[in-house]
Amino acid sequence: MNTETTGLNGWWVRHWVAAIGAALLVTLTPLSYIQWKQFSLIEDVAVNQIDSIMWQSYQLERELSHLSSAIQVSLEPEDVLDVDHLVERYEVFVSRIAVVTDIPRNDLLNTTPAYLEAIRLVNAFVLEADPVFADTGELLQPRTARQALIRSIEQIEPALGELTREANRATARFVDERNAQLREQGGLVIALAGVQSGVLLLFVALLVRHLRRQVVQYEKLQAVSRELAVARDEAEAANHGKSVFLANMSHEIRTPFQGVLGMLNLLDETRLSGQQRDYVQTAHDSAQHLLGVLNDILDVSTMESGTLRLAPEPVRLRSLVQEVESLMRASAREKGLKLQVDTAHDLPEWVMADPTRVRQILFNLLGNAVKFTPQGSITARLCRLEGTPSGVCLTVQDTGMGMDAATVAQLFTRFYQADNSVRRRIGGSGLGLEISRNLATMMGGNIEVMSEPGQGSLFTVHLILPETVAPAEGSHPLSSTLEMRQLRVLVAEDHPINLKYMNILLDRMGHEAVFCENGHEALQLLARQRFDVVLLDYHMPVLDGMATTAAIRALSGPNKDIKVVLVTADVVNDTRQKALEVGVNEFASKPLQSQDLRRALQRCGLLDASTVLVNDLAPVPDVDTPDPDELNTSAAGLIDTESYTEIVAMMPPDTMEELLGTLFEAPQGSVHVLVASLAAGDAAQIAYDAHKLKGTAMLLGFRALVRTSAQIERLAPEDNAALRRELGNQLLVDMERTQHALRQFAQAEPA
């Protein structure tokens, strides 16, 4: 809108300037011409001295009269003849003739009869008089010559008088003509001035109209601006509300996750059957997956609000990469993929980096490679970035399905999925790559991708990780061979399941715990008892973790300086900075795990390095199962060996063979029945057959078949023939790989 308004205003300004310029040109050009004409007339009068015509004619007449008088006097008897005086008067008269005939504007006279007659007589007189005045002896002769001159003068005098009058009339005519021209020009000036005034009034009217329109438009723009300001304020308020909502949702979702994951961990430590352990593991994996999606959404929101901050610290780069490799190797092995991770020998040993965020980038790229590579290999390499100090280059190359140019162009777009069928089959929130690219940008680098359909993909990550020295010996996190001393812990937590979980967790870690439901109760307990550390939930009724910490620091007793660990799931706002300002010592994120709690307590200085670690978890029952490493890499993870071993131990061989036949033998085996249902397209039958296969596969511990049949059951209502055909092919592949794994398992069993 601003651009359009500016362009419109510019158009109006240009056209107004052009119109005003044209009007001024039209009105001022004639005025200028008239003024020039008036100036020419005045200049003509000044230069040519028009009014001197009459005067010069009169002077000629007067000099003739003086000459006549002088000659008349010379004729008096008693007068003595003064020849020189007569000659002088004659010469003066003759000089006046040239003045009349050579005057600049003699054109006003030289065509009149009076002028022609007078000049003729004067010229005749000069011809007569020149010989007389040329020879002074003639003047001294008897008066006859002078008398003849007198008679000639008497003939000329009427003509010169008439010439003087004619000159007067010519001058009057000229003045009249000039005055007429001036009046005409004055009239034109008045007319043009009127036209100019009219034009100017018209332009003023148009300008006033335009200004009024501009005022109206300005008022509209002001109204729009106010509306936009209100909309902006509402958007900012909505964004703030979204941040608060996400913070609350983070707490509300992570808080029950605390109990869910904690209880699943504790349940996994009890004596379970293979099937029960598989159920627990499936529930734990699902909870972890949901937590990962939540973390992705919260990370994106944090980046949007600009509150995400890196926390660089000395990191041993090779160890971090090896840690990620070890965690991803199981996923790759389960799909039969070869995973190779290489680190260049010239990599810096220690760098300044945020280990959590670097690990997140590695997990996202390697996780995507595993997801979208059905077979083949994945190769990751970490090396120095040439030509860039402190630069590190990570490449992840797979032999997966690859992508076309259109998909690559939108790959980092939020929630973008190249293929809905892929999304449904493989899953994912579509946020991992966007988060990874933003994190790489925050670390001074970027992520690039090269891919072709069917040829796999190559992701290249550039990061700026300054080299540093190894941290001091005392600054390392708690070693796995050390345990903290027994502590008296005050726990403020309002969620009953979390209270139960933390009670078991602290008891396993060998600490004495006292529990309360809010910050107010915690302050009351601190006023009466001594504690080593306080674990505060961030969101609690009455007094939350922040307010409770501020109140603790305001105490006057010895508990004023007690160590405070804030347990929070709030990753959206600047919680860490605010908490540090009120006096929190350390942080532990939800869901709370034992290693996270140990790490927080160690950073608080509450570890006793002289104490030997007592295992805080109950020992896992020793089940006599074959080593998974004995299985072929392409089949490892396809079956739960504990569940399958229990079933084999319970059933006679022929019964076990019959049971396997109900799954694998065509055409009545459950796998083939489900494939046929997928081909027929009956959604209800597909769901029934998938559920039936899933139950049998779970009983036997066939994990790959459980996953695929569960996916088929979930997608049964989808009317997508291509997807059903794809899932049927996947089911047959899983069956063949499971059978192959069973054969290898049978060969690996002791005789």
Side-chain angles (χ1 to χ4, degrees):
M1 180 178 291
N2 291 336
T3 303
E4 294 178 358
T5 303
T6 302
L8 183 60
N9 290 337
W11 182 88
W12 270 106
V13 169
R14 290 192 298 272
H15 282 71
W16 271 103
V17 170
I20 293 174
L24 291 176
L25 182 64
V26 170
T27 56
L28 292 181
T29 299
L31 285 175
S32 300
Y33 175 75
I34 293 171
Q35 292 293 330
W36 176 77
K37 290 291 290 182
Q38 290 179 346
F39 176 78
S40 298
L41 288 174
I42 295 172
E43 186 71 14
D44 184 54
V45 172
V47 173
N48 298 317
Q49 300 179 354
I50 303 301
D51 55 350
S52 67
I53 297 174
M54 181 184 66
W55 175 251
Q56 299 300 337
S57 299
Y58 172 72
Q59 286 292 325
L60 180 61
E61 181 183 6
R62 182 182 176 192
E63 292 300 326
L64 181 62
S65 177
H66 287 167
L67 177 62
S68 176
S69 297
I71 295 173
Q72 288 287 354
V73 171
S74 69
L75 293 175
E76 295 294 331
E78 68 277 5
D79 190 19
V80 178
L81 180 60
D82 187 352
V83 177
D84 293 334
H85 177 69
L86 287 176
V87 172
E88 179 182 359
R89 298 312 308 173
Y90 177 73
E91 290 178 352
V92 171
F93 169 74
V94 172
S95 67
R96 294 291 186 240
I97 298 173
V99 171
V100 173
T101 57
D102 296 339
I103 194 170
R105 288 302 304 272
N106 66 347
D107 58 301
L108 299 173
L109 283 175
N110 59 12
T111 59
T112 62
Y115 174 83
L116 295 174
E117 178 63 20
I119 295 302
R120 184 185 67 78
L121 293 174
V122 168
N123 289 335
F125 174 74
V126 170
L127 290 174
E128 179 184 358
D130 276 348
V132 176
F133 285 98
D135 186 1
T136 57
E138 290 288 336
L139 293 175
L140 297 177
Q141 294 296 323
R143 297 185 295 173
T144 306
R146 282 176 282 167
Q147 289 174 346
L149 291 176
I150 290 294
R151 288 192 296 271
S152 296
I153 290 173
E154 290 175 351
Q155 293 178 358
I156 297 173
E157 283 180 344
L160 290 182
E162 183 62 25
L163 177 62
T164 301
R165 288 188 292 274
E166 184 63 31
N168 186 29
R169 288 192 294 271
T171 302
R173 287 196 304 273
F174 175 78
V175 171
D176 291 340
E177 291 175 0
R178 185 183 65 180
N179 291 337
Q181 290 179 349
L182 291 175
R183 284 193 299 272
E184 181 181 356
Q185 292 172 0
L188 289 175
V189 169
I190 293 172
L192 288 174
V195 172
Q196 186 177 20
S197 299
V199 171
L200 290 177
L201 287 175
L202 177 61
F203 274 106
V204 168
L206 293 175
L207 182 60
V208 169
R209 181 184 178 189
H210 175 66
L211 289 176
R212 287 178 177 174
R213 288 184 176 179
Q214 289 287 86
V215 169
V216 173
Q217 186 179 15
Y218 175 76
E219 291 175 351
K220 290 181 179 179
L221 289 176
Q222 288 291 97
V224 172
S225 178
R226 288 191 294 270
E227 292 175 0
L228 290 176
V230 172
R232 180 200 61 201
D233 295 339
E234 291 177 351
E236 291 178 351
N239 188 54
H240 176 71
K242 181 194 73 173
S243 298
V244 173
F245 171 77
L246 287 174
N248 292 332
M249 285 300 98
S250 173
H251 171 74
E252 294 300 327
I253 296 176
R254 286 169 178 258
T255 296
F257 264 24
Q258 173 85 23
V260 171
L261 290 177
M263 289 304 166
L264 287 174
N265 289 335
L266 295 175
L267 182 62
D268 192 47
E269 294 161 11
T270 62
R271 293 184 177 274
L272 301 174
S273 67
Q275 188 178 32
Q276 290 171 331
R277 192 173 303 282
D278 184 63
Y279 293 164
V280 171
Q281 183 61 41
T282 302
H284 185 274
D285 292 343
S286 299
Q288 288 288 4
H289 175 72
L290 183 57
L291 185 60
V293 174
L294 173 64
N295 288 338
D296 285 346
I297 296 174
L298 293 176
D299 279 342
V300 169
S301 299
T302 307
M303 291 175 181
E304 279 185 348
S305 63
T307 57
L308 182 65
R309 298 290 183 269
L310 298 178
E313 61 182 61
V315 176
R316 195 170 188 177
L317 201 53
R318 282 191 177 85
S319 299
L320 187 146
V321 174
Q322 290 170 0
E323 173 189 346
V324 176
E325 177 190 7
S326 63
L327 292 173
M328 295 302 303
R329 189 167 295 280
S331 300
R333 184 173 55 194
E334 183 176 346
K335 292 189 66 174
L337 303 175
K338 180 181 179 182
L339 175 62
Q340 181 177 350
V341 179
D342 299 325
T343 55
H345 66 279
D346 60 343
L347 272 179
E349 189 70 16
W350 291 87
V351 296
M352 286 298 295
D354 186 332
T356 302
R357 299 306 180 181
V358 175
R359 190 181 295 112
Q360 188 173 359
I361 294 175
L362 293 173
F363 269 127
N364 277 332
L365 295 182
L366 289 175
N368 282 344
V370 172
K371 280 182 184 179
F372 295 98
T373 304
Q375 60 184 1
S377 63
I378 300 169
T379 303
R381 177 172 174 78
L382 192 66
C383 61
R384 285 185 180 271
L385 183 59
E386 296 182 2
T388 304
S390 305
V392 175
C393 178
L394 168 69
T395 59
V396 177
Q397 188 167 14
D398 61 63
T399 60
M401 60 185 66
M403 298 169 286
D404 56 22
T407 302
V408 171
Q410 301 187 61
L411 189 60
F412 295 97
T413 303
R414 186 177 305 175
F415 304 119
Y416 177 75
Q417 292 282 358
D419 183 357
N420 282 335
S421 65
V422 173
R423 177 180 61 81
R424 288 193 297 264
R425 187 178 74 252
I426 297 179
S429 63
L431 296 174
L433 285 177
E434 182 195 6
I435 294 172
S436 298
R437 183 184 60 179
N438 290 338
L439 291 175
T441 301
M442 293 176 69
M443 297 180 195
N446 197 8
I447 299 181
E448 299 174 353
V449 59
M450 296 175 59
S451 183
E452 292 183 8
Q455 302 297 319
S457 303
L458 172 63
F459 285 83
T460 303
V461 185
H462 295 164
L463 302 175
I464 303 300
L465 305 178
E467 188 172 357
T468 187
V469 297
E473 194 66 29
S475 62
H476 291 293
L478 178 64
S479 171
S480 61
T481 60
L482 299 179
E483 175 63 289
M484 52 198 139
R485 60 186 175 87
Q486 184 178 16
L487 303 174
R488 198 160 190 269
V489 184
L490 174 60
V491 180
E493 169 64 64
D494 63 316
H495 198 282
I497 297 178
N498 285 347
L499 282 173
K500 183 177 180 181
Y501 168 68
M502 294 179 73
N503 187 19
I504 298 173
L505 179 63
L506 290 169
D507 181 65
R508 294 287 180 87
M509 295 173 70
H511 302 308
E512 178 186 355
V514 177
F515 295 90
C516 59
E517 293 185 355
N518 55 64
H520 180 68
E521 294 181 4
L523 291 174
Q524 292 178 339
L525 289 170
L526 284 171
R528 299 191 303 266
Q529 303 179 37
R530 290 291 304 274
F531 295 93
D532 296 304
V533 64
V534 180
L535 299 183
L536 294 176
D537 186 25
Y538 181 22
H539 295 277
M540 292 185 297
V542 186
L543 279 181
D544 64 12
M546 295 282 199
T548 304
T549 303
I552 291 173
R553 298 309 179 208
L555 295 175
S556 57
N559 282 329
K560 173 183 179 180
D561 298 322
I562 191 171
K563 300 296 183 181
V564 176
V565 177
L566 188 67
V567 182
T568 176
D570 188 355
V571 298
V572 176
N573 297 323
D574 292 328
T575 305
R576 179 179 293 270
Q577 183 61 37
K578 295 176 182 177
L580 291 174
E581 290 173 357
V582 299
V584 171
N585 298 100
E586 280 300 331
F587 304 86
S589 62
K590 287 186 177 182
L592 184 63
Q593 303 293 321
S594 59
Q595 61 270 25
D596 297 330
L597 181 57
R598 279 200 299 270
R599 190 177 297 111
L601 295 175
Q602 186 269 340
R603 287 196 292 260
C604 287
L606 299 174
L607 291 179
D608 185 359
S610 63
T611 305
V612 179
L613 173 65
V614 178
N615 191 4
D616 56 346
L617 300 176
V620 178
D622 185 15
V623 180
D624 185 16
T625 59
D627 187 354
D629 289 339
E630 296 177 2
L631 298 178
N632 185 277
T633 302
S634 64
L638 293 172
I639 61 175
D640 179 359
T641 56
E642 291 187 50
S643 298
Y644 183 69
T645 301
E646 288 182 359
I647 294 296
V648 170
M650 291 168 54
M651 294 185 180
D654 55 345
T655 304
M656 190 65 198
E657 184 176 353
E658 182 180 353
L659 182 58
L660 293 176
T662 61
L663 283 177
F664 301 137
E665 288 184 3
Q668 299 301 321
S670 299
V671 173
H672 298 283
V673 169
L674 179 54
V675 171
S677 298
L678 287 169
D682 186 343
Q685 188 64 38
I686 291 173
Y688 173 78
D689 292 339
H691 184 76
K692 180 179 177 182
L693 173 60
K694 182 179 70 173
T696 305
M698 289 178 65
L699 176 65
L700 295 172
F702 296 161
R703 290 175 174 171
L705 292 176
V706 169
R707 283 193 300 271
T708 305
S709 58
Q711 190 174 18
I712 294 173
E713 182 182 12
R714 185 174 67 255
L715 298 176
E718 295 283 343
D719 186 13
N720 189 328
L723 176 62
R724 289 171 176 170
R725 185 166 53 254
E726 192 173 354
L727 291 172
N729 293 335
Q730 182 64 45
L731 187 63
L732 293 175
V733 170
D734 290 340
M735 180 189 71
E736 293 177 359
R737 294 173 63 196
T738 301
Q739 288 177 306
H740 181 68
L742 288 175
R743 288 191 294 270
Q744 290 185 321
F745 179 72
Q747 295 172 0
E749 285 186 310

